[in-house]
Amino acid sequence: MGETPVRIGILGCASIARKVSRAISLSANATVFAIGSRSVEKAQKYVSANAFIPPSVKLYGSYEAVIDDPEVDAVYVPLPTSLHLRWAVLAAEKRKHVLLEKPVALNAAEFDRIVSACEANGFKLSSDAQAYTDPDAGGSRMEGFIHSTFTFTADPEFLKNDIRAKPDLDALGALGDVGWYCARAILWAVDYELPKTVTAIKGTVFNEAGVILSCGASLLWEDGKVATFHCSFLSNTTMNITATGTVGTLHVDDFVIPCVETSSSFLTSTKTGFSELDTEWKPLPSEHVVTNELPQEALMVKEFARLVKGIKEGSLKAESKWPVYSRKTQLVLDRVIESIERGYESVEVVD
Amino acid sequence: MGETPVRIGILGCASIARKVSRAISLSANATVFAIGSRSVEKAQKYVSANAFIPPSVKLYGSYEAVIDDPEVDAVYVPLPTSLHLRWAVLAAEKRKHVLLEKPVALNAAEFDRIVSACEANGFKLSSDAQAYTDPDAGGSRMEGFIHSTFTFTADPEFLKNDIRAKPDLDALGALGDVGWYCARAILWAVDYELPKTVTAIKGTVFNEAGVILSCGASLLWEDGKVATFHCSFLSNTTMNITATGTVGTLHVDDFVIPCVETSSSFLTSTKTGFSELDTEWKPLPSEHVVTNELPQEALMVKEFARLVKGIKEGSLKAESKWPVYSRKTQLVLDRVIESIERGYESVEVVD
């Protein structure tokens, strides 16, 4: 590239930050420029343990210091969801671009305050969950029915002490963590049209602190499309989506984290019928393999850095589709919570 | 084999009967012995068009004549669901074993009348939908979450005129046709434990005559297991089931009709975790391929004929697991209908 990479500051040394730090280092147009933790020692330890972070990285003993660094172009926020509002707004006020971990916020109202702060300062918000491969299943979006499941079996320690099980940290629990991806994938499949109603599915599991460990919902659109999803910390790793419309079906078994990093695959069927006597499919489903030039996280960082650079140079505007997509995802999750609270009643999605 | 095959009489020349007629001819212990239609000419035409039916087959101009033939051991009933009660009961009274197409009946009350008639005469009822491959996914049944989808896109002619779209014939529509398999597969995955509640999912589509063309439901068990299914005549062929429990996941893409007749495959994952940095799955899912000695319909006929023969010879009793499994499937479908009628309220499953 030869050009100056976008300088990213990271707020905190959460384990999720390692994955994105590596992705930044793999993305030629971005660099891990600064890391802030509760102490410089903690930040130093994190750098020593992760060889992919450049030795030139600046270390700070606070998150504020990263945000205050005038050379930092953008910050990545891997903090618990309950801290997103505070740090994303502060970063925006200090004229930094923001890459937030999902879920973006605890609810759509908080989401809007974050976006307002970013927009007021002419900056960009992105959320990490945009790194979908975008398979073109025959050129048309799916109508009809969509189902997505994202689960993993958390150990007992996680279920009690992980930030995703704490009501004061990632209060949305499994819904905000794995459920975010299900809702987002479903919205992707319908070209981000919001459903008319959301109805939680009976059987939500909470931990002792009242955080959701497992839940699901059905979504209904104005034109009759239906979707269901299930998300859980209590069942073996499963991350699939099936979308079926009048003429075709798409199925992906690993839509969030690919089974292998260098490629991902999906199945499509188009106008499927049967052989004589209905004993075989005709035509058979097709498997499509996408080879990844870079891991998906690095592709996301590359795109984020491209946008940040464009805004910095005046060739791009701050507005983009990502906040719109993330906000719709947040609205769906809000309604799932509301439906659970109302005893599984259907609730209208009003934007 | 050398032994006399079980002599099966077929009531009617419906197109579905062709598939099972072929299966009977492929099963060494059974034979298509008689066919009854509204006229002998119609039956003759059917035989001429289907080379796999033995030329020795007896042709009758009525269903009664098949049932009255003392040499017929068992009858296969591919008639519309609304006619099952009448013909299955008549056949049982004439001391025939009965192989019924699914759905067995319009509701559990009718189901029970059919079973009573069979049992009163010491005979056996089976239903066609028992031909599942029975993959042993690591030796343990799944707990947790199960989803099944079975859809196909019916043409406009079908949606108006097929028996499965007629309120006086197969009144359960898509629920009784494709939904039967979803409910049955879900019950299979939980070892046929009945759910505690059934809640239909908003978005049911009816045709002008009030027959269901598309619907879905969620099921909740006493111990917290949850399942959802979607069945439809309005979306491209999809027939999958995903079952995930604490330690494993099973996924089958073609659980009703295999993509190819000679083999079927499924995916399992056990104790799935991730590589360092959560960028890949570890271990990867395993694909299992089952080679089929005979098409699944023929395996079903073979098992049916084995049971009929055993009962005839006095070595087996008429009781078996199949009526129990089918009855539970029927109970679940009954509750889906009830939930739809009650505006998508949850309804208790009481046996």
Side-chain angles (χ1 to χ4, degrees):
Chain A
M1 308 276 282
E3 296 179 38
T4 319
V6 166
R7 289 159 304 202
I8 298 179
I10 300 174
L11 305 192
C13 301
S15 63
I16 182 76
R18 295 182 62 223
K19 188 174 182 176
V20 174
S21 298
R22 170 174 172 262
I24 295 169
S25 73
L26 289 171
S27 179
N29 61 351
T31 187
V32 179
F33 184 77
I35 293 174
S37 188
R38 268 166 278 175
S39 71
V40 174
E41 291 68 37
K42 220 182 145 202
Q44 181 59 59
K45 211 171 152 189
Y46 176 77
V47 172
S48 305
N50 294 294
F52 45 75
I53 298 174
S56 62
V57 67
K58 285 187 184 178
L59 304 180
Y60 289 113
S62 73
Y63 307 149
E64 287 91 341
V66 175
I67 290 176
D68 282 334
D69 185 329
E71 291 189 299
V72 167
D73 296 312
V75 293
Y76 166 59
V77 185
L79 301 171
T81 313
S82 62
L83 301 177
H84 284 189
L85 177 64
R86 176 173 170 203
W87 292 104
V89 168
L90 266 177
E93 288 172 356
K94 292 291 173 74
R95 307 191 60 72
K96 305 300 184 202
H97 299 268
V98 180
L99 179 66
L100 273 177
E101 260 305 321
K102 47 97 293 257
V104 173
L106 290 173
N107 52 54
E110 280 200 0
F111 185 103
D112 289 345
R113 287 172 63 194
I114 293 171
V115 171
S116 297
C118 290
E119 287 177 352
N121 291 283
F123 284 108
K124 191 186 146 31
L125 172 92
S126 290
S127 79
D128 183 7
Q130 61 185 237
Y132 291 111
T133 51
D134 208 52
D136 177 8
S140 67
R141 291 286 167 177
M142 296 294 171
E143 304 273 328
F145 178 71
I146 305 151
H147 177 79
S148 178
T149 299
F150 188 2
T151 63
F152 67 86
T153 303
D155 57 37
E157 170 65 18
F158 176 109
L159 295 177
K160 278 203 166 176
N161 296 320
D162 190 88
I163 60 165
R164 286 166 281 184
K166 296 280 191 187
D168 53 340
L169 296 171
D170 278 349
L172 302 179
L175 182 64
D177 188 34
V178 283
W180 176 277
Y181 292 92
C182 296
R184 179 61 166 269
I186 289 168
L187 286 170
W188 166 80
V190 300
D191 215 4
Y192 296 97
E193 180 192 354
L194 277 174
K196 190 177 65 168
T197 61
V198 170
T199 315
I201 287 171
K202 279 185 89 168
T204 309
V205 179
F206 301 92
N207 69 5
E208 286 173 10
V211 173
I212 293 171
L213 301 181
S214 175
C215 73
S218 68
L219 286 62
L220 175 63
W221 279 261
E222 192 68 47
D223 64 0
K225 286 190 297 285
V226 174
T228 54
F229 74 84
H230 176 79
C231 58
S232 172
F233 291 152
L234 304 175
S235 294
N236 188 57
T237 299
T238 306
M239 42 178 93
N240 62 27
I241 179 165
T242 304
T244 179
T246 318
V247 297
T249 304
L250 166 72
H251 179 78
V252 190
D253 269 315
D254 56 353
F255 80 98
V256 184
I257 297 172
C259 286
V260 294
E261 196 175 26
T262 48
S263 73
S264 45
S265 70
F266 56 95
L267 277 181
T268 59
S269 311
T270 309
K271 293 186 180 173
T272 311
F274 296 104
S275 63
E276 233 270 298
L277 291 174
D278 292 357
T279 51
E280 300 195 323
W281 294 32
K282 203 174 164 184
L284 292 173
S286 310
E287 187 176 8
H288 306 261
V289 179
V290 180
T291 305
N292 304 324
E293 167 215 350
L294 282 174
Q296 58 178 354
E297 303 82 24
L299 292 174
M300 176 194 66
V301 168
K302 198 176 153 189
E303 171 66 3
F304 177 71
R306 185 187 72 80
L307 293 169
V308 168
K309 205 174 181 78
I311 294 165
K312 203 174 161 185
E313 291 168 354
S315 60
L316 286 174
K317 282 195 175 175
E319 66 183 10
S320 90
K321 58 193 175 183
W322 303 117
V324 175
Y325 295 169
S326 295
R327 185 168 191 280
K328 289 183 174 184
T329 310
Q330 189 91 48
L331 280 173
V332 169
L333 300 195
D334 284 8
R335 296 291 83 75
V336 175
I337 297 277
E338 186 185 346
S339 175
I340 293 170
E341 287 172 352
R342 289 193 182 189
Y344 302 95
E345 261 182 36
S346 290
V347 295
E348 300 262 321
V349 180
V350 183
D351 190 0
Chain B
M1 309 276 282
E3 296 179 39
T4 319
V6 166
R7 290 161 301 202
I8 299 179
I10 300 176
L11 304 192
C13 302
S15 62
I16 182 75
R18 296 183 61 222
K19 189 174 181 175
V20 175
S21 298
R22 170 174 172 262
I24 295 169
S25 72
L26 289 172
S27 180
N29 61 352
T31 187
V32 179
F33 184 79
I35 293 174
S37 188
R38 268 165 278 176
S39 71
V40 173
E41 291 68 35
K42 220 182 145 202
Q44 182 57 61
K45 211 169 152 189
Y46 176 78
V47 172
S48 306
N50 294 293
F52 45 74
I53 298 174
S56 61
V57 66
K58 286 190 185 176
L59 304 180
Y60 289 113
S62 73
Y63 307 149
E64 286 92 342
V66 175
I67 290 176
D68 283 333
D69 185 328
E71 291 189 297
V72 167
D73 296 312
V75 294
Y76 166 59
V77 185
L79 300 172
T81 313
S82 62
L83 301 177
H84 285 189
L85 177 64
R86 176 175 170 201
W87 291 103
V89 169
L90 267 177
E93 288 172 358
K94 293 291 172 73
R95 308 190 60 73
K96 305 301 183 198
H97 299 270
V98 180
L99 179 65
L100 273 177
E101 260 305 322
K102 49 97 286 265
V104 173
L106 291 173
N107 53 54
E110 280 200 1
F111 185 102
D112 290 344
R113 288 173 62 194
I114 293 171
V115 171
S116 298
C118 291
E119 288 177 352
N121 292 283
F123 284 108
K124 190 182 148 37
L125 173 92
S126 291
S127 80
D128 183 9
Q130 61 184 237
Y132 292 110
T133 51
D134 209 52
D136 178 8
S140 68
R141 290 288 168 175
M142 297 293 171
E143 304 273 328
F145 178 71
I146 305 151
H147 177 79
S148 178
T149 298
F150 187 3
T151 63
F152 66 87
T153 303
D155 58 36
E157 170 65 19
F158 175 109
L159 296 177
K160 279 205 166 174
N161 296 320
D162 190 88
I163 59 165
R164 285 165 283 184
K166 297 279 191 187
D168 53 339
L169 297 172
D170 278 350
L172 302 178
L175 181 64
D177 188 34
V178 283
W180 176 277
Y181 292 92
C182 296
R184 179 63 166 269
I186 289 167
L187 287 170
W188 166 80
V190 300
D191 215 6
Y192 296 97
E193 179 192 354
L194 276 174
K196 190 177 64 167
T197 62
V198 169
T199 315
I201 287 171
K202 279 184 88 165
T204 309
V205 179
F206 300 92
N207 70 4
E208 286 172 12
V211 173
I212 293 172
L213 302 181
S214 175
C215 73
S218 68
L219 286 62
L220 175 63
W221 280 261
E222 192 69 48
D223 64 1
K225 286 190 298 285
V226 173
T228 54
F229 74 84
H230 176 80
C231 58
S232 172
F233 291 153
L234 304 175
S235 295
N236 188 58
T237 299
T238 306
M239 42 177 93
N240 62 27
I241 179 165
T242 304
T244 178
T246 317
V247 297
T249 305
L250 166 72
H251 179 78
V252 189
D253 269 316
D254 55 354
F255 80 98
V256 184
I257 296 172
C259 286
V260 294
E261 197 177 25
T262 48
S263 73
S264 45
S265 70
F266 57 95
L267 277 181
T268 58
S269 311
T270 309
K271 294 186 181 173
T272 312
F274 296 104
S275 62
E276 235 270 300
L277 292 172
D278 292 357
T279 52
E280 299 195 325
W281 293 33
K282 203 174 165 182
L284 292 172
S286 310
E287 186 175 8
H288 305 260
V289 179
V290 180
T291 305
N292 303 323
E293 168 216 350
L294 281 175
Q296 58 178 353
E297 303 82 24
L299 292 174
M300 177 194 67
V301 168
K302 199 176 152 191
E303 171 66 4
F304 177 72
R306 185 186 72 80
L307 293 169
V308 168
K309 204 173 182 80
I311 294 165
K312 203 173 161 185
E313 291 168 352
S315 59
L316 286 173
K317 280 197 174 173
E319 66 184 11
S320 90
K321 59 193 177 185
W322 303 119
V324 175
Y325 296 170
S326 295
R327 185 168 191 279
K328 288 182 174 184
T329 310
Q330 189 91 48
L331 279 173
V332 169
L333 300 194
D334 283 8
R335 295 292 82 75
V336 175
I337 297 277
E338 186 185 346
S339 176
I340 293 170
E341 287 172 352
R342 290 193 182 188
Y344 301 95
E345 261 182 36
S346 289
V347 293
E348 301 261 322
V349 180
V350 182
D351 191 359

